[in-house]
């Protein structure tokens, strides 16, 4: 999931689906009363649209991926260039308003009431530097654009599972790759430089040498430190992989999950894998064996030869009868097929947790609440295996927190607003079931609107030492907490 404050499209107010402590600033104060006259100087200064709530196009500009998490800012600026972003930030600063940011809109923390929302969807583009093995990515560019641009040169980034997610937001939140993570680390580890507009409206080029503290914080600290308008990140020589998904009937979930739990131990770093228990919709784009079915999906991505990959996956193919086998040799440009994440907006609720271990008891506890003998309605409950390079600190240290965790669990349920509370309760049962093996640390990209809703909870996600360092950096770069429409890290009160 992605971006400083957004997700992708919609109805139902966030208050319908989350319970937020009253002492947390969610930006729910009444919107400032802005008139067209108030924003006329801003409109004259920017190239993109400047829209008030009553203006045509306002709702479309604020659209999010999760239809249950709409954005309701006081003003939205559709930035088309860096100067537009700077003007919007300065306008917000002059009026003491918070700033929210959306690119493709895949992660909404708050409805952003009373804020200036900056959308980056017009700021797209990639520039591949083959000689330096890197790519410059504009703030609103999605992963498919980046992957395609790199693949044309036989190169690949440390991308996410969804090709419609904005690459920059993914990298700011850590970036867990289902293909290159175990060999190259988190996406944030591969970032070389960041172009960021800070709370004073200045554009800064942050690197390990030019602004070391800011460069440290923004790689993992998500959108807490400014509006990132572009990122330069590493590319790696990868032309193809052996990957895809194998589907088993849900009734075989116990055999598949227990086999997977044993299989992941000792896998080479070139193999990345996850397993998901899914109740799939009756969607026409799904093939008949799995359309509308209760299934277990095994996802794999292997960077070695196809022959080696087949040998490695053989044990899992033998775990239970196979419904559909989509694991093939594929060009890297098709990696989005592995997870086949929905491209269109939908209404959902989600939860996540890190896992310190996955013993047989943990698998059994999970199966009790989501397995074939349960009445679980959730669309997907996935466990991703971590390890390999994900355990190592980056060559240039950053703010990614969950290093050393062997697994992360992510679940979501799809339903209309009136079903949200029920689905949230089902997700709570999942989290409670694995609590004995859970870890509070997680990646910001996986956090939903109803997770980490207090400063103490955000501190737990990062860990106390890292959080305190980020709060001190925040005090320097955003002392008034302009960028708070997110899983917020308030500035340290003493600035030290």
């Amino acid at each position: 999931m992605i971006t400083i404050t957004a997700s992708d499209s919609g109805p139902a107010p966030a208050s319908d689906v989350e319970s937020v402590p009253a002492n947390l600033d969610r930006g729910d104060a009444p919107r400032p009363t802005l008139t067209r006259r108030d924003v006329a100087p801003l409109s004259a200064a920017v190239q993109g649209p400047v829209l008030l709530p009553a203006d045509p196009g306002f709702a479309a500009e604020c659209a999010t991926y999760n239809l249950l998490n709409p954005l309701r800012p006081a003003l939205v600026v559709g930035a088309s260039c860096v100067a537009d972003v700077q003007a919007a930030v300065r306008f917000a600063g002059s009026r003491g308003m918070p700033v929210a940011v959306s690119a493709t809109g895949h992660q909404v923390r708050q409805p952003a009431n009373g804020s200036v929302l900056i959308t980056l969807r017009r700021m797209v583009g990639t520039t591949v530097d083959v000689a330096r093995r890197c790519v410059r990515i504009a703030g609103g560019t999605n992963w498919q654009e980046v992957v395609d641009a790199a693949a044309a040169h036989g190169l690949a980034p440390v991308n996410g599972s969804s090709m419609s997610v904005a690459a920059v937001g993914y990298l700011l939140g850590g970036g867990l790759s289902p293909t290159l993570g175990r060999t190259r680390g988190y996406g944030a580890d591969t970032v070389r430089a960041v172009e960021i507009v800070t709370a004073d409206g200045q554009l800064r080029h942050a690197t390990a040498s030019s602004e070391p503290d800011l460069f440290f914080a923004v790689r993992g600290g998500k959108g807490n430190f400014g509006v990132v308008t572009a990122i330069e990140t590493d590319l790696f020589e990868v032309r193809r992989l052996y990957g895809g998904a194998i589907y088993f009937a849900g009734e075989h979930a116990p055999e598949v999950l227990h086999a997977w739990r044993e299989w992941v131990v000792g896998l080479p770093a070139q193999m990345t894998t996850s397993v998901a228990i899914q109740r799939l919709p009756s969607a026409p784009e799904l093939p008949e064996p799995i359309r509308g079915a209760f299934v277990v999906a095994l996802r794999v991505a292997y960077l070695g030869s196809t022959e080696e990959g087949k040998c490695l996956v053989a044990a899992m193919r033998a775990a239970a009868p196979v419904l559909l086998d989509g694991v093939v040799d594929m060009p890297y440009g098709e990696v989005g097929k592995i997870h086949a994440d929905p491209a269109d907006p939908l209404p959902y609720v989600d939860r996540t947790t890190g896992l310190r271990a996955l013993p047989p008891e943990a698998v059994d506890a999970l199966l009790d609440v989501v397995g074939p003998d349960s009445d679980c309605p959730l669309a997907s409950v996935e466990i991703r295996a971590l390890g390999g390079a994900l355990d190592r600190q980056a060559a240039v240290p950053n703010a990614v927190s969950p290093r050393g965790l062997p697994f992360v669990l992510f679940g979501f349920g799809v339903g209309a607003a009136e079903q949200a509370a029920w689905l949230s309760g089902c997700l709570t049962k999942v989290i409670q079931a694995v609590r004995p093996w859970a870890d509070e640390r997680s990646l910001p990209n996986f956090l939903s609107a109803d997770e980490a809703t207090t400063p103490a909870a955000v501190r737990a996600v990062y860990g106390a030492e890292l959080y305190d360092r980020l709060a001190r950096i925040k005090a320097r770069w955003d002392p008034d907490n302009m960028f708070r429409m997110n899983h917020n890290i308030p500035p340290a009160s003493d600035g030290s």
Side-chain angles (χ1 to χ4, degrees), residues 205-480:
H205 186 78
T207 67
S209 57
S210 66
E211 297 287 359
D213 281 348
L214 183 60
F215 188 61
F216 170 88
V218 76
R219 294 173 301 135
K222 199 69 175 182
N224 272 283
F225 301 91
V227 185
V228 174
T229 57
I231 272 181
E232 185 178 86
T233 191
D234 292 333
L235 294 175
F236 303 94
E237 190 171 349
V238 182
R239 295 181 180 272
R240 49 145 301 279
L241 54 74
Y242 181 67
I246 300 173
Y247 293 88
F248 306 88
E251 64 192 78
H252 296 297
E255 301 100 284
V256 176
L257 262 67
H258 279 290
W260 184 82
R261 182 192 65 81
E262 297 177 353
W263 179 66
V264 296
V265 178
L267 280 178
Q270 290 80 8
M271 174 67 82
T272 302
T273 180
S274 68
V275 64
I277 298 177
Q278 299 183 316
R279 273 85 176 171
L280 296 175
S282 298
E285 62 267 23
L286 294 175
E288 185 56 41
I290 62 173
R291 186 183 305 150
F294 170 42
V295 300
V296 181
L298 168 71
R299 284 82 174 259
V300 299
Y302 182 62
L303 300 176
S305 71
T306 297
E307 293 70 26
E308 292 170 344
K310 286 179 178 178
C311 290
L312 284 170
V313 178
M316 287 305 303
R317 284 193 168 105
V322 173
L323 279 181
L324 182 67
D325 193 334
V327 178
V328 296
D329 184 271
M330 64 170 64
Y332 197 86
E334 297 181 2
V335 293
K337 294 180 179 179
I338 297 174
H339 279 245
D341 289 340
D344 295 330
L346 70 165
Y348 65 91
V349 293
D350 56 310
R351 294 282 298 277
T352 188
T353 185
L355 295 174
R356 290 177 283 101
L358 191 67
E361 297 81 5
V363 172
D364 290 339
L366 182 63
L367 288 167
D368 284 344
V369 294
V370 303
D373 296 326
S374 71
D375 58 356
C376 177
L378 299 175
S380 180
V381 176
E382 179 191 37
I383 303 174
R384 297 191 186 192
L386 308 181
L390 298 168
D391 286 345
R392 302 194 294 269
Q393 179 56 271
V396 179
N398 57 38
V400 176
S401 66
R403 300 184 195 275
L405 286 180
F407 303 96
V408 64
L409 180 148
F410 175 75
F412 70 94
V414 177
E418 57 270 21
Q419 297 176 299
W422 170 55
L423 293 170
S424 291
C426 295
L427 287 166
T428 296
K429 289 181 181 178
V430 172
I431 300 301
Q432 289 176 339
V434 298
R435 192 173 301 282
W437 306 277
D439 193 288
E440 290 181 304
R441 291 176 299 149
S442 185
L443 284 169
N445 286 346
F446 280 90
L447 295 174
S448 66
D450 51 356
E451 292 178 289
T453 59
T454 66
V458 175
R459 193 169 193 260
V461 166
Y462 283 97
E465 182 178 354
L466 176 55
Y467 177 91
D468 290 346
R469 179 177 178 183
L470 291 174
R472 292 192 295 270
I473 298 172
K474 175 86 166 184
R476 177 186 173 191
W477 293 103
D478 184 14
D480 296 324

Side-chain angles (χ1 to χ4, degrees), residues 87-310:
V89 168
R90 288 168 180 160
F91 177 87
S94 70
R95 291 177 172 265
M97 297 171 66
V99 169
V101 182
S102 173
T104 58
H106 277 73
Q107 188 178 32
V108 167
R109 163 63 191 93
Q110 303 177 24
N113 283 1
S115 73
V116 174
L117 171 65
I118 301 173
T119 60
L120 301 178
R121 64 193 62 173
R122 293 167 183 80
M123 296 179 64
V124 298
T126 60
T127 304
V128 175
D129 187 327
V130 177
R132 296 174 58 232
R133 295 291 173 87
C134 65
V135 58
R136 181 185 183 276
I137 308 169
T141 310
N142 68 27
W143 269 126
Q144 191 64 66
E145 296 174 63
V146 181
V147 168
D148 288 345
H153 304 280
L155 301 172
V158 179
N159 57 275
S161 61
S162 173
M163 294 294 100
S164 66
V165 161
V168 167
Y170 162 95
L171 294 167
L172 298 181
L176 176 59
S177 176
T179 53
L180 301 186
R182 281 170 46 84
T183 56
R184 300 297 181 179
Y186 286 99
D189 301 349
T190 69
V191 172
R192 298 187 184 186
V194 173
E195 295 173 23
I196 181 171
V197 176
T198 48
D200 56 5
Q202 296 298 311
L203 175 67
R204 303 177 191 279
H205 186 78
T207 67
S209 57
S210 66
E211 297 287 359
D213 281 348
L214 183 60
F215 188 61
F216 170 88
V218 76
R219 294 173 301 135
K222 199 69 175 182
N224 272 283
F225 301 91
V227 185
V228 174
T229 57
I231 272 181
E232 185 178 86
T233 191
D234 292 333
L235 294 175
F236 303 94
E237 190 171 349
V238 182
R239 295 181 180 272
R240 49 145 301 279
L241 54 74
Y242 181 67
I246 300 173
Y247 293 88
F248 306 88
E251 64 192 78
H252 296 297
E255 301 100 284
V256 176
L257 262 67
H258 279 290
W260 184 82
R261 182 192 65 81
E262 297 177 353
W263 179 66
V264 296
V265 178
L267 280 178
Q270 290 80 8
M271 174 67 82
T272 302
T273 180
S274 68
V275 64
I277 298 177
Q278 299 183 316
R279 273 85 176 171
L280 296 175
S282 298
E285 62 267 23
L286 294 175
E288 185 56 41
I290 62 173
R291 186 183 305 150
F294 170 42
V295 300
V296 181
L298 168 71
R299 284 82 174 259
V300 299
Y302 182 62
L303 300 176
S305 71
T306 297
E307 293 70 26
E308 292 170 344
K310 286 179 178 178

